[in-house]
Structure formats: structure tokens, C-alpha cells
């Protein structure tokens, strides 16, 4: 899956209006451009811990999953620890997406240094496994034409990590055969 990250910012008191505007006005115009490799835009809200806390308080979930492409290691680690502290009775799993080792992963994701940032994210989150009994780390790998020759290498690499699960998702839809990137019809 190729996802573009919108790095817009708003004051906390305006976050809802900002999100509504970006989702209804900005994102649709970006989607209309049919950018090769583009699948979706994800709005990384600065208030993710507060959203998780509200959900925890109102719903008492037994587990919460947080998939990530790992491109913001420090922010991911800080948000994860805040969620773990304030949601102690819910199992929280962060699932890092790793499709290949090194540059191929970054090419498939369409963002430079993505693989290196995934490693930094793992390294930042790993100590939390000893600190919070309600925390689990996991990895997901998208199996596609571009990485089919090296999925075994990814599995062997991740096997050295302290993760509870490593899932393999099959890419669906048409592949952009001219590049290593997944095109907009892929869903994971």
C-alpha cells in the first residue's frame, strides 16, 4: 500500500475543523490527480493519544491496534508510551509495515529512508515491551511482485526482533509493472 502522509498542523482547539476541511476539500483534489503509486492519505493527528484515551474511557476495548509505516520514530514512540500509560487495561499493539530490506522497501512505499525509519521505530518501541505488560509489537509485510523474491529475507530479518506476530498481506488488484511501487488499486 502506498500512502501519502499529510503533514498539516492545527492548534488543538481547531483540530476538528482542520480535519474536516482537509478530508472534504484538500484530500479529494489530491486524489483526483491520479498520482502513480498513490492509494490514500492518512491524517496523522497530533492528538492520537487523546483519541485513544477517549475511546478507552468510553468503550473499554480489550485490544487496540495501531498500524504504522514507521516514518516518524520519535513521535510514534512518544504517542505509544502515552497511550500505554493511560490505557493500562487494554492490550495495545503497534504493527510496523516492512515489505523489504533496505532501499526496496523505501521504493515500494514511495518515501525515502522509510526502511531506516522503520528500524528506528522498532528500536524506540522495543524498550516499552519490558516496561508495559499491555504492549505488543508486530510487523506486517505486503507480498507483491516487487518483493516476492525477498519475502523470505524479510521474515528472517524480523525473526530476530521481539515481535508477537508477523503477518503477510497479499497485494490485490493490478500491479504497476513499470515500477516497484504498488499502484492505487492495491489494498492491504
Amino acid at each position: 500500500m502506498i500512502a501519502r502522509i499529510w503533514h498539516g498542523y492545527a492548534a488543538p482547539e481547531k483540530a476538528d475543523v482542520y480535519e474536516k476541511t482537509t478530508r472534504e476539500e484538500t484530500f479529494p483534489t489530491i486524489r483526483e490527480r491520479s498520482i502513480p503509486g498513490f492509494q490514500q492519505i492518512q491524517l496523522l493527528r497530533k492528538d492520537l493519544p487523546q483519541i485513544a484515551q477517549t475511546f478507552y474511557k468510553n468503550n473499554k476495548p480489550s485490544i487496540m491496534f495501531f498500524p504504522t509505516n514507521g516514518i516518524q520514530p520519535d513521535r510514534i514512540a512518544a504517542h505509544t508510551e502515552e497511550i500505554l500509560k493511560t490505557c493500562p487495561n487494554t492490550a495495545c499493539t503497534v504493527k510496523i509495515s516492512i515489505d523489504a530490506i533496505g532501499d526496496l522497501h523505501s521504493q515500494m512505499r514511495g518515501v525515502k529512508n522509510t526502511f531506516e525509519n522503520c528500524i528506528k521505530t522498532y528500536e524506540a518501541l522495543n524498550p516499552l515491551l519490558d516496561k508495559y505488560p499491555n504492549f505488543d509489537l508486530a510487523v506486517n509485510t505486503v507480498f507483491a511482485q516487487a518483493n516476492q523474491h525477498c519475502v523470505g529475507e524479510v521474515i528472517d530479518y524480523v525473526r530476530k526482533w521481539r515481535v508477537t506476530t508477523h503477518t503477510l498481506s497479499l497485494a490485490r488488484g493490478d500491479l504497476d509493472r513499470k515500477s516497484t511501487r504498488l499502484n492505487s488499486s492495491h489494498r492491504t
Side-chain angles (χ1 to χ4, degrees), residues 146 176-182:
D176 178 357
R177 299 192 190 282
K178 296 177 186 171
S179 76
T180 58
R181 293 172 63 187
L182 302 175

Side-chain angles (χ1 to χ4, degrees), residues 13 23 34 37 44 67 69 85-86 94 96 100 111 119 136 142 148 154 162 164 172:
E13 63 274 6
R23 287 191 192 283
S34 299
L44 297 179
N69 60 13
K85 285 179 184 177
T86 57
V94 173
I96 304 169
V111 179
I119 302 306
D136 283 316
V142 175
Q148 66 184 347
V154 176
R162 292 193 319 161
T164 54
R172 298 187 307 267

Side-chain angles (χ1 to χ4, degrees), residues 106-137:
S106 299
Q107 290 168 11
M108 289 179 68
R109 292 289 167 161
V111 179
K112 290 181 182 179
N113 301 317
T114 304
F115 180 74
E116 291 81 3
N117 284 323
C118 285
I119 302 306
K120 290 177 185 175
T121 297
Y122 171 77
E123 290 170 349
L125 293 173
N126 186 31
L128 301 180
L129 290 167
D130 296 322
K131 194 172 179 181
Y132 297 97
N134 61 322
F135 181 52
D136 283 316
L137 262 172

Side-chain angles (χ1 to χ4, degrees), residues 50-184:
Q50 292 76 26
I51 293 169
Q53 291 160 15
T54 300
F55 188 75
Y56 174 79
K57 178 183 169 189
N58 294 328
N59 297 288
K60 309 287 187 265
S62 60
I63 190 166
M64 290 191 282
F65 289 97
F66 299 94
T68 180
N69 60 13
I71 64 171
Q72 295 182 335
D74 295 335
R75 186 173 181 188
I76 293 164
H79 281 190
T80 299
E81 185 154 28
E82 187 173 344
I83 292 166
L84 291 166
K85 285 179 184 177
T86 57
C87 305
N89 297 318
T90 293
C92 296
T93 300
V94 173
K95 187 176 272 194
I96 304 169
S97 297
I98 299 183
D99 302 327
I101 305 301
D103 290 340
L104 179 56
H105 174 77
S106 299
Q107 290 168 11
M108 289 179 68
R109 292 289 167 161
V111 179
K112 290 181 182 179
N113 301 317
T114 304
F115 180 74
E116 291 81 3
N117 284 323
C118 285
I119 302 306
K120 290 177 185 175
T121 297
Y122 171 77
E123 290 170 349
L125 293 173
N126 186 31
L128 301 180
L129 290 167
D130 296 322
K131 194 172 179 181
Y132 297 97
N134 61 322
F135 181 52
D136 283 316
L137 262 172
V139 170
N140 183 68
T141 299
V142 175
F143 183 88
Q145 181 179 0
N147 68 343
Q148 66 184 347
H149 66 282
C150 64
V151 169
E153 181 183 355
V154 176
I155 292 168
D156 290 342
Y157 188 89
V158 171
R159 199 174 269 147
K160 299 171 191 167
W161 288 7
R162 292 193 319 161
V163 296
T164 54
T165 59
H166 181 182
T167 55
L168 188 64
S169 299
L170 301 178
R172 298 187 307 267
D174 295 326
L175 289 175
D176 178 357
R177 299 192 190 282
K178 296 177 186 171
S179 76
T180 58
R181 293 172 63 187
L182 302 175
N183 72 21
S184 61

